[in-house]
Amino acid sequence: MHKPVYIVNDHILSVMGTSTDSNWNSVLKEESGIALIDPLFPSDQAIYGSQLKAYPVVNKKATKLENMFLYSIQETLRQTSIKSSNDRLMLFVSTTKGNIDGLGNKKQQPSDRVELHAMTHFIQQELGLVHTPMIVSNACISGVLAIQTAALYIKHGLIDHAIVAGGDLFSKFTLSGFYAFKALSAGICKPFDKSRDGINLGEAIGTVLLTSDPAAAKALYAVEVKGYGSSNDANHISGPSRDGSGLALAVRKAVRHIRTEDIGFINAHGTATLYNDNMESLAFQQLGLGNVPLNSLKAYYGHTLGAAGVLEVIISIRSLLNNTIVKSLGYEEAGTEGTVNVARTFIKKEIHTVLKTASGFGGCNSALILRKA
Amino acid sequence: MSELNIRNWVYINDQEAVMNDEQQFSFKKEDTADQKLEQLYRSLGVAYPKFFKMDAQSKLGWASAEYLCEGGKVFATNAPEERALVLSNQKSSLDTDEQYQQSLNNQEEFLPSPSVFVYTLANIVAGEICIRHGIKGENNFLISERFDAEALVNYTRILFEEELCKQCLLGWVEAYRGRFKSILWLVEKGESTDDRLFTVKNLNQLYQKSEL
């Protein structure tokens, strides 16, 4: 007997605030967390990004990223009846690079915990989690894919509850790589806009709590994980497919058990590179979703890598609960091959279902359908 | 659900490449990892120039999948989107991460390489395998301190039960500081013998065989 799976609580730690409420309020005010920052290396262009100058210190032995994870996970559990010692609870960590800044240290120490399993083991010990956490590291779809993986574990009865925590640092390592790719925007990024010129990187943690039993968890809300699917373009390791067919494959799986006309809005990946946004527009058009209101949150947060999928799911859940589709910040003029209905303003309307997508290096794509219970 | 059968399995370690219990290639002890992987490529007799652009981990995964998929023959009955790929390892892309980091330490000549940077993600080896074999289905890359047969079997079984795939390639791929090790399975529904049943026990036994 398969169990339904619900997301029942969440937490965001970002430059926009140390709670989901503060993040949501900043988004409603159209505030961007992206600013001009120290490039960390000799750069011939101004670098914009979102970086946390201060963060909550839970444990003095923890790294910055570990403290961010610990804080966000504790805050997520705090308001529910699920304890970290629950033996039916499992943690799923989504990250691309973990404590990558430790790799640049002149004398690297074991306490830098550069390897992802070492970081995750530390988090497990600190929180007193019974099960060894699962680490999903699948480029920019990690967050969405970790939610899929956790939901499947619950649905198939392996566990009853899951924490999915996604996070990555704003690091010289990653920043320089996207700089070398000439993929960084000269200002605050403009997803799906005609004049978009690349991405901003950001750092954040997003955490969600999943369960098969919202009542037992004393849930604050319940949004069902109704569909999921991932795919690979099998085309190119660093460029998205030209025609969007790979992303369309993931979305088709995610919408298997719903009617596509029920989708109230799409929260796209929308990195604001020419190729990504173009690819997405073609995918949504061929799926017959070209008229569905669509947004990208990258101009608020930048691309937060392992956090992005989780963080964007949380903002999308707020949208569902408040019947408010978030304005796609930075968008002015259509500039993609496929026709998509990018949200130019905040839209107040009755919505119950969202399609969330992500795509990343390695040609991977991922999609989720979430529905208000 | 009908049983899941291990159709093929392959491991490559620093000494040899073995498929379904038969040695396919044996490495010279004195050779470097780069030399070993290039010899393996030559022995496979496939013209795939992109191989030389890959990092060691991707070369290793590519060569492993080349055996496992029997030149694509194994996919005859299924569509690209019905093929899944679930990989795992301990160190993510640390081998290439360290090389890339070296290039960042030179402040005088700051020239980070995009072609190195792209390999600083765990799942790039998965992308290379998908490109080579037209795998367009489910993808996942799991990091674990040790080989975790239980996680691989659990997740793969769920993918089949959910009808998210009809075939799945899964296993472990890791290259780090001149040493490498991969072990991959190709799993599909069908009749099976005891030693080919897709179980945690069988995966662990085969993993033991691949250990040096």
Side-chain angles (χ1 to χ4, degrees):
Chain A
M1 182 60 196
H2 290 160
K3 300 171 179 175
V5 182
Y6 305 92
I7 298 177
V8 296
N9 201 11
D10 56 63
H11 181 264
I12 298 173
L13 172 59
S14 80
V15 280
M16 313 264 266
T18 58
S19 68
T20 304
D21 281 345
S22 54
N23 274 271
W24 175 246
N25 289 331
S26 292
V27 167
L28 289 180
K29 284 186 267 182
E30 297 179 36
E31 290 171 5
S32 173
I34 300 163
L36 187 66
I37 51 136
D38 177 356
L40 314 167
F41 55 79
S43 163
D44 60 10
Q45 71 173 92
I47 306 264
Y48 285 78
S50 80
Q51 191 176 21
L52 270 96
K53 296 278 185 270
Y55 56 91
V57 176
V58 177
N59 181 325
K60 282 182 182 156
K61 288 181 187 158
T63 64
K64 177 181 181 179
L65 187 64
E66 288 160 358
N67 270 311
M68 291 165 63
F69 268 119
L70 289 170
Y71 181 79
S72 186
I73 293 167
Q74 284 176 346
E75 286 298 298
T76 305
L77 291 178
R78 196 166 57 84
Q79 298 145 307
T80 74
S81 61
I82 309 283
K83 300 271 174 287
S84 58
S85 58
N86 187 313
D87 68 357
R88 295 292 294 165
L89 170 73
M90 194 163 148
L91 169 65
F92 293 74
V93 171
S94 155
T95 186
T96 64
K97 302 308 309 169
N99 288 317
I100 190 65
D101 52 348
L103 199 62
N105 289 350
K106 284 211 170 65
K107 280 192 177 170
Q108 209 188 106
Q109 304 291 330
S111 58
D112 292 331
R113 290 183 285 272
V114 168
E115 293 187 32
L116 304 181
H117 61 87
M119 175 187 83
T120 305
H121 183 71
F122 179 83
I123 292 168
Q124 180 193 359
Q125 296 289 104
E126 286 303 303
L127 294 170
L129 297 164
V130 176
H131 295 287
T132 303
M134 203 161 195
I135 307 165
V136 174
S137 191
N138 213 97
C140 304
I141 72 165
S142 300
V144 175
L145 190 57
I147 293 173
Q148 168 179 331
T149 308
L152 287 171
Y153 261 57
I154 295 172
K155 180 177 174 184
H156 289 260
L158 295 167
I159 51 172
D160 293 334
H161 321 286
I163 303 161
V164 180
D168 264 304
L169 292 170
F170 185 91
S171 67
K172 180 177 173 181
F173 187 99
T174 310
L175 188 67
S176 63
F178 282 96
Y179 172 78
F181 257 105
K182 302 193 189 307
L184 297 176
S185 174
I188 297 175
C189 70
K190 304 180 82 174
F192 295 99
D193 187 73
K194 195 176 180 180
S195 64
R196 68 187 182 279
D197 67 345
I199 73 165
N200 306 123
L201 286 169
E203 69 186 351
I205 303 280
T207 306
V208 287
L209 178 65
L210 283 73
T211 180
S212 55
D213 192 349
K218 294 205 172 135
L220 303 180
Y221 62 81
V223 168
E224 188 176 357
V225 182
K226 198 74 187 162
Y228 31 75
S230 70
S231 67
N232 196 290
D233 295 335
N235 177 57
H236 198 277
I237 50 166
S238 60
S241 78
R242 289 295 163 120
D243 60 3
S245 58
L247 174 58
L249 286 173
V251 174
R252 282 200 186 92
K253 286 190 271 190
V255 301
R256 280 192 297 180
H257 305 301
I258 66 152
R259 300 181 314 166
T260 50
E261 36 304 9
D262 288 344
I263 297 172
F265 74 103
I266 301 167
N267 176 233
H269 191 47
T271 58
T273 66
L274 280 176
Y275 292 126
N276 175 78
D277 295 6
N278 206 48
M279 178 279 287
E280 287 190 271
S281 74
L282 290 168
F284 296 130
Q285 183 176 273
Q286 69 190 261
L287 289 159
L289 299 172
N291 290 322
V292 179
L294 170 147
N295 62 23
S296 159
L297 299 172
K298 297 295 191 291
Y300 294 92
Y301 289 99
H303 191 345
T304 54
L305 306 171
V310 186
L311 185 161
E312 292 164 10
V313 157
I314 296 168
I315 296 294
S316 296
I317 288 171
R318 284 290 164 128
S319 289
L320 292 180
L321 301 176
N322 292 288
N323 291 310
T324 303
I325 300 168
V326 171
K327 172 182 171 173
S328 196
L329 199 63
Y331 178 76
E332 284 163 12
E333 197 181 342
T336 54
E337 273 179 73
T339 302
V340 279
N341 180 13
V342 185
R344 292 168 184 276
T345 56
F346 285 84
I347 304 166
K348 288 287 278 182
K349 69 185 258 196
E350 188 64 31
I351 41 172
H352 50 78
T353 303
V354 58
L355 166 64
K356 167 69 196 142
T357 66
S359 300
F361 275 5
C364 51
N365 307 282
S366 188
L368 283 177
I369 289 283
L370 304 174
R371 183 147 88 188
K372 267 192 283 196
Chain B
M1 191 176 75
S2 64
E3 281 306 329
L4 293 179
N5 174 51
I6 298 170
R7 175 159 168 178
N8 284 330
W9 57 272
V10 59
Y11 72 74
I12 303 175
N13 60 28
D14 299 317
Q15 288 182 358
E16 58 180 352
V18 171
M19 178 167 166
N20 301 338
D21 260 334
E22 285 178 30
Q23 190 184 61
Q24 309 291 315
F25 196 79
S26 120
F27 298 118
K28 275 183 250 150
K29 206 174 176 181
E30 63 274 20
D31 285 346
T32 64
D34 282 348
Q35 289 167 329
K36 287 175 181 176
L37 289 168
E38 188 174 337
Q39 286 160 11
L40 196 58
Y41 168 80
R42 306 265 177 224
S43 79
L44 284 160
V46 183
Y48 200 74
K50 265 192 272 185
F51 178 85
F52 294 98
K53 292 184 181 173
M54 297 178 196
D55 70 350
Q57 194 154 287
S58 289
K59 284 177 178 171
L60 177 66
W62 183 92
S64 310
E66 212 55 31
Y67 286 118
L68 196 74
C69 302
E70 302 175 57
K73 258 192 282 176
V74 297
F75 298 125
T77 55
N78 291 312
E81 60 269 27
E82 294 168 332
R83 307 165 192 163
L85 179 60
V86 180
L87 294 181
S88 63
N89 75 10
Q90 182 196 48
K91 293 187 186 298
S92 179
S93 55
L94 190 59
D95 197 38
T96 301
D97 293 359
E98 288 180 352
Q99 289 173 37
Y100 181 74
Q101 183 63 43
Q102 284 287 321
S103 76
L104 296 186
N105 293 343
N106 187 346
Q107 290 282 349
E108 306 301 306
E109 280 181 77
F110 184 79
L111 289 168
S113 157
S115 58
V116 177
F117 178 69
V118 72
Y119 285 95
T120 63
L121 287 164
N123 64 303
I124 297 302
V125 54
E128 294 285 13
I129 293 172
C130 288
I131 292 168
R132 169 63 182 152
H133 295 289
I135 296 168
K136 296 190 177 183
E138 290 293 314
N139 272 212
N140 211 334
F141 203 109
L142 306 171
I143 307 290
S144 55
E145 189 176 5
R146 281 175 289 277
F147 174 69
D148 187 349
E150 204 177 335
L152 291 172
V153 169
N154 281 339
Y155 192 67
T156 303
R157 284 194 164 278
I158 290 172
L159 292 182
F160 278 94
E161 277 182 46
E162 290 273 326
E163 296 182 339
L164 287 168
C165 72
K166 288 189 175 167
Q167 286 177 309
C168 186
L169 281 74
L170 64 130
W172 177 277
V173 182
E174 183 163 288
Y176 184 63
R177 292 189 178 177
R179 297 202 62 191
F180 52 78
K181 158 73 165 277
S182 71
I183 179 160
L184 293 184
W185 289 267
L186 175 68
V187 170
E188 57 194 23
K189 280 187 191 177
E191 294 290 306
S192 192
T193 52
D194 282 353
D195 62 328
R196 289 293 185 104
L197 273 175
F198 182 57
T199 60
V200 172
K201 188 175 152 224
N202 279 342
L203 260 62
N204 277 327
Q205 273 180 1
L206 293 174
Y207 186 83
Q208 281 307 315
K209 281 192 190 181
S210 74
E211 289 279 87
L212 291 176

